[in-house]
Amino acid sequence: MEDPYLWMENLQDERVLKLIEEENRRFRKFVGELSDKLFPEVWEYFSIPTVGSARITKREVIVSTREKDRQVIRWLNGEVIVDSKELERESEDEVLLQGFTTDREGKRLAYSFSIGGADEGTTRIIDLETGEVIEEITPSVWNIVFLEDGYYFARFYRKEKTPDGINPPAERLFWKDEEGEKMIFGEGLGSGYFMELSKSSDEKYAMLTVTYGWNKAEIYFGPIDKPEEWKKVYSAEVPAEPIDVVNGKLFILTKEGKGLGKIIALKDGQVEEVVPEGQFPLEWAVIIRDKIVAGRLVHASHRIEVYTLNGKKVREFTFDFPGSVYPLDKDNERVILRYESFTVPYRIYELKDGLRLIDEKKIEGNFKVEEDFAISKDGTRIHYFIVKGEKDEKKAWVFGYGGFNISLTPRFFPQVIPFIKRGGVFVMANLRGGSEYGEEWHRSGMRENKQNVFDDFIAVLGKLKEEGYKVVAWGRSNGGLLVAATLVQRPDVMDAALIGYPVIDMLRFHKLYIGSVWIPEYGNPDDPKDREFLLKYSPYHNVKPQRYPPILIYTGLYDDRVHPAHALKFFMKLKEVNAPVYLRVETKSGHMGASPETRARELTDLLAFVMRALQ
């Protein structure tokens, strides 16, 4: 099939760079003054200090936080270990801190950072006692697990072949010590396979999960220091993950059965069911002392359940607002939990004997969170949240995703608060393709079932329109595909469209950057059967002359996960049919965002576009 805009996949092409410059200028003209006026307000909410992750060490807890215009990794007492501002001075460019891990003793810390928000960057390992950099690894590595005499790590091959000769993209696991590094796992595994290594709380055992796409899992188990003895102990055609080891017994959270999640235990080849499936999905679990602490998703928000190791439920904790709750880290005595909601940037809880609030940040104002259901084309009930302030001027900003087994649970969007305070409402839709209602919910929105996701979104948008709302549809990444597909199919159900960092060309996604790893989720364009259903909904191939609402497509030049050409080519197709479309390309941003101010500017531009489009 001929592609008139194939040349746009070359981001060095002068025509591409000229278009980006011109369209950025044109978009700036559209939102300029309003965006500048709104920025201080968005920045106020964006720059609220938030805790992102934590690690419990024997010395003290280490946390990563975003504080106004910088990201830091620090001891809980406030002493800063890594500061993004220092890294920016050093690199003379914008830096995004991506994550960190430590050893249990609190002697070594590994962190990764990238320039301009790219996925690929640099990993540094530092001595926490002296602050010295012990090692620097470029490109960055992940999943570092420290042992006394070295560490394990995973390397993701994006451009070159793996040591065993497999074409990229592919992942391999290594061991590194004074003698150098050696590959210890992954030989022969192709694209689409991912690995996650963790060690048991008693630090004796390795628990390695190998997943294919987002759909199946194998778990390997053995002595932490003897990778040659790791053996496959569990395999499933559904997601599964190890929880921990107690007295040589391996506890696993698996989606086998109806796909709602249950906890099983393995020992000497024997399997016992500990916590059976319930009505709602079990999303995560950890073990502290002699108790299992688990997070259950009830209509897309979490409650905490506590069980004995035999599976008897002993306690339950719920929250005042629907929220997202995930464990940041644990030791044998306690687990640190992070809670977030639409108007609560974060709360940190410690769960030991009871649930204790350690720290929180919340937004002042009268807000309420309502829940409702829309009926999709095939009769499926689609849950959504509605966040309201003191007034409702019938303007709805609707966020969706629907894919990759990811559940959309309540979270804080800084640019949405000013919108709500001006009489808007924010809606988050829980579409098929996610994991809000278990693995069956995920599978009914992937591959040949992808149209269900668009129908679900159309049902939510349509219901809001019937209730008299002006509606903006918003999605990012796979959510950008969602909004783009909905836009070309049913432009009448939205009054504006926000399409961010999107996957759009469903016949070439697997040829751009790491796109081939999404084949298990979307299908393979090189397979004639898959190509048929991909072509049916591919937004790039289904643009036709019709009446379109105002559209903003936004991406980042440094996005090395979803190629910016998806956005650029779709923009050109929409221009062909005279759609009112704008393009915003962040020249300092990757898929994961960029520095705090660059990210906040982008979010403010989204808000300004929404307000202009809904005037």
Side-chain angles (χ1 to χ4, degrees):
M1 188 175 285
E2 198 184 325
D3 184 350
Y5 300 114
L6 198 63
W7 56 273
M8 301 193 89
E9 292 177 10
N10 175 11
L11 298 177
Q12 270 71 54
D13 189 305
E14 281 182 20
R15 292 169 294 173
V16 171
L17 296 171
K18 186 169 182 273
L19 176 88
I20 288 170
E21 195 182 321
E22 286 171 357
E23 291 305 324
N24 274 346
R25 204 161 42 235
R26 182 171 151 261
F27 174 68
R28 184 63 34 222
K29 205 172 169 185
F30 182 64
V31 295
E33 268 181 35
L34 179 58
S35 191
D36 291 341
K37 201 167 132 189
L38 290 166
F39 181 74
E41 199 177 340
V42 174
W43 180 246
E44 180 193 335
Y45 296 118
F46 187 92
S47 60
I48 291 168
T50 57
V51 174
S53 55
R55 291 285 295 170
I56 300 169
T57 75
K58 286 175 183 170
R59 283 175 65 185
E60 202 193 331
V61 176
I62 297 176
V63 293
S64 69
T65 60
R66 199 187 67 226
E67 300 173 0
K68 290 206 168 170
D69 60 346
R70 65 180 190 152
Q71 298 164 281
V72 298
I73 299 168
R74 60 175 174 82
W75 295 97
L76 202 55
N77 67 14
E79 185 191 339
V80 173
I81 302 164
V82 181
D83 185 337
S84 66
K85 283 290 176 197
E86 291 290 328
L87 293 171
E88 286 181 348
R89 275 192 283 276
E90 183 189 317
S91 62
E92 296 181 343
D93 210 331
E94 291 198 356
V95 160
L96 179 73
L97 276 181
Q98 291 175 315
F100 80 96
T101 189
T102 66
D103 60 6
R104 271 296 172 219
E105 284 66 39
K107 289 180 180 174
R108 290 168 294 173
L109 178 141
Y111 70 93
S112 295
F113 65 94
S114 72
I115 306 298
D119 276 4
E120 203 167 64
T122 298
T123 299
R124 282 180 180 169
I125 299 175
I126 60 174
D127 183 320
L128 282 169
E129 285 163 346
T130 65
E132 286 174 32
V133 176
I134 306 167
E135 203 175 338
E136 182 166 296
I137 308 155
T138 304
S140 47
V141 298
W142 52 24
N143 198 185
I144 288 177
V145 175
F146 287 110
L147 300 193
E148 210 166 306
D149 56 343
Y151 60 90
Y152 294 105
F153 70 89
R155 181 175 281 132
F156 189 60
Y157 291 84
R158 289 169 173 273
K159 302 180 182 84
E160 72 276 17
K161 288 185 177 184
T162 63
D164 51 313
I166 300 293
N167 286 327
E171 187 184 7
R172 295 292 178 266
L173 199 62
F174 292 81
W175 165 255
K176 187 162 189 178
D177 57 20
E178 288 176 348
E179 293 173 19
E181 64 178 52
K182 61 179 177 186
M183 193 177 97
I184 54 124
F185 196 90
E187 189 169 349
L189 287 182
S191 193
Y193 285 91
F194 295 96
M195 298 162 220
E196 180 70 32
L197 178 67
S198 57
K199 60 179 168 180
S200 57
S201 292
D202 61 13
E203 307 207 339
K204 290 178 185 174
Y205 298 100
M207 302 178 292
L208 173 65
T209 312
V210 180
T211 57
Y212 178 66
W214 289 260
N215 314 319
K216 51 171 123 176
E218 293 176 339
I219 295 172
Y220 291 76
F221 179 66
I224 186 70
D225 55 349
K226 294 177 183 170
E228 68 279 2
E229 292 183 22
W230 299 353
K231 297 277 188 298
K232 190 197 295 184
V233 293
Y234 182 79
S235 183
E237 292 295 308
V238 291
E241 60 189 59
I243 301 167
D244 210 338
V245 181
V246 182
N247 299 326
K249 188 186 277 189
L250 174 63
F251 287 79
I252 293 171
L253 174 57
T254 175
K255 294 286 177 76
E256 277 195 306
K258 292 181 181 173
L260 292 162
K262 60 182 173 184
I263 296 172
I264 60 171
L266 303 183
K267 190 170 186 180
D268 302 327
Q270 299 295 308
V271 182
E272 81 179 86
E273 187 174 86
V274 180
V275 178
E277 284 187 293
Q279 183 189 351
F280 293 101
L282 208 54
E283 269 225 321
W284 56 261
V286 296
I287 293 175
I288 51 171
R289 286 185 288 187
D290 57 349
K291 297 285 188 293
I292 299 168
V293 178
R296 194 177 293 281
L297 208 51
V298 181
H299 294 310
S301 60
H302 284 104
R303 70 179 184 217
I304 307 298
E305 298 176 348
V306 183
Y307 296 87
T308 66
L309 294 178
N310 296 324
K312 185 187 172 195
K313 189 171 170 184
V314 289
R315 288 196 81 167
E316 185 175 295
F317 299 97
T318 55
F319 300 88
D320 49 348
F321 266 121
S324 308
V325 187
Y326 292 99
L328 294 179
D329 199 16
K330 51 145 285 194
D331 57 19
N332 290 327
E333 297 296 313
R334 60 184 170 153
V335 57
I336 294 175
L337 300 166
R338 185 185 192 278
Y339 165 99
E340 182 177 355
S341 190
F342 299 109
T343 58
V344 181
Y346 78 92
R347 289 178 191 160
I348 304 296
Y349 290 97
E350 178 190 77
L351 180 53
K352 199 174 179 180
D353 300 316
L355 194 63
R356 182 171 74 91
L357 181 65
I358 299 174
D359 188 20
E360 79 169 324
K361 287 280 185 291
K362 56 186 176 186
I363 301 301
E364 295 306 318
N366 294 322
F367 301 98
K368 56 177 181 262
V369 180
E370 297 172 355
E371 299 176 63
D372 205 349
F373 292 86
I375 307 301
S376 193
K377 190 176 182 179
D378 64 358
T380 304
R381 277 160 55 86
I382 307 302
H383 174 269
Y384 58 95
F385 294 103
I386 313 161
V387 191
K388 294 182 175 179
E390 289 177 6
K391 52 185 178 175
D392 179 356
E393 294 190 351
K394 294 292 180 182
K395 294 175 180 181
W397 188 344
V398 189
F399 184 60
Y401 188 79
F404 292 91
N405 206 22
I406 291 169
S407 45
L408 281 196
T409 58
R411 52 183 151 132
F412 180 69
F413 297 92
Q415 79 279 18
V416 163
I417 303 297
F419 179 70
I420 293 171
K421 287 194 167 181
R422 286 166 175 76
V425 305
F426 181 68
V427 176
M428 183 188 270
N430 300 118
L431 317 171
R432 280 175 282 187
S435 63
E436 290 92 342
Y437 294 97
E439 182 55 17
E440 285 180 11
W441 190 255
H442 168 220
R443 294 192 180 219
S444 61
M446 59 181 267
R447 289 182 49 83
E448 64 275 10
N449 298 323
K450 193 70 179 169
Q451 184 59 42
N452 285 336
V453 188
F454 314 138
D455 291 341
D456 295 352
F457 201 46
I458 289 165
V460 174
L461 300 174
K463 186 175 181 195
L464 291 163
K465 290 283 285 178
E466 282 168 19
E467 290 169 0
Y469 283 93
K470 277 188 163 184
V471 173
V472 178
W474 175 37
R476 196 177 185 280
S477 193
N478 171 72
L481 165 63
L482 165 74
V483 176
T486 306
L487 174 75
V488 297
Q489 289 180 22
R490 289 289 305 275
D492 58 300
V493 293
M494 60 184 90
D495 298 281
L498 283 175
I499 299 168
Y501 298 78
V503 186
I504 299 274
D505 183 344
M506 299 313 290
L507 297 191
R508 281 187 60 77
F509 74 84
H510 62 317
K511 295 184 187 298
L512 299 170
Y513 291 163
I514 65 163
S516 64
V517 303
W518 310 326
I519 284 173
E521 181 77 10
Y522 290 140
N524 186 352
D526 294 334
D527 178 324
K529 280 185 184 168
D530 292 6
R531 191 179 176 86
E532 199 177 322
F533 63 73
L534 286 164
L535 187 57
K536 223 172 186 176
Y537 75 77
S538 174
Y540 185 58
H541 300 93
N542 284 282
V543 173
K544 57 183 180 281
Q546 58 185 329
R547 187 182 172 133
Y548 289 100
I551 304 153
L552 171 61
I553 303 169
Y554 65 102
T555 187
L557 204 53
Y558 288 99
D559 188 340
D560 53 1
R561 192 184 308 179
V562 179
H563 199 293
H566 284 281
L568 301 172
K569 288 161 65 176
F570 189 52
F571 171 78
M572 296 299 278
K573 274 284 179 85
L574 286 166
K575 286 291 280 182
E576 273 182 28
V577 295
N578 297 315
V581 60
Y582 289 90
L583 177 68
R584 183 195 192 279
V585 182
E586 182 52 69
T587 53
K588 294 180 178 180
S589 173
H591 197 76
M592 300 305 291
S595 73
E597 187 171 335
T598 298
R599 182 92 178 97
R601 290 267 174 207
E602 180 180 85
L603 296 179
T604 308
D605 281 352
L606 303 191
L607 172 62
F609 178 81
V610 167
M611 288 173 64
R612 281 260 189 270
L614 294 186
Q615 272 175 345

